[in-house]
Amino acid sequence: VEYTESKDKTVTANKSKVYGLAGLYDFSKRTQGYGLVGKSNNSGTSFLNPIYGGPTLTTADATVYTVGLRHSF
């Protein structure tokens, strides 16, 4: 579980809130499934996205879903 809030010190209307949730499941000793969901709420001219807190191309809110399978050899 993750929560981050970023505020601009000079323009108080600019802020971003980012929420995230991740889960792992072990299918076997070497195979693992994972799922992540992230959401960002941007206001003003702030533009963070839920993937590693990097910038987005617009100030719109973003939602990201990731699902994967990892196998170790």
Side-chain angles (χ1 to χ4, degrees), residues 6-9 11-16 43-46:
S6 174
K7 295 180 182 179
D8 189 333
K9 291 182 179 180
V11 181
T12 57
N14 295 343
K15 60 183 166 181
S16 293
S43 61
T45 58
S46 188

Side-chain angles (χ1 to χ4, degrees), residues 39-42 44 46-50 56-63:
K39 170 99 174 115
S40 67
N41 295 323
N42 297 308
S46 188
F47 53 94
L48 288 180
N49 75 28
T56 62
L57 299 176
T58 69
T59 59
D61 296 343
T63 303

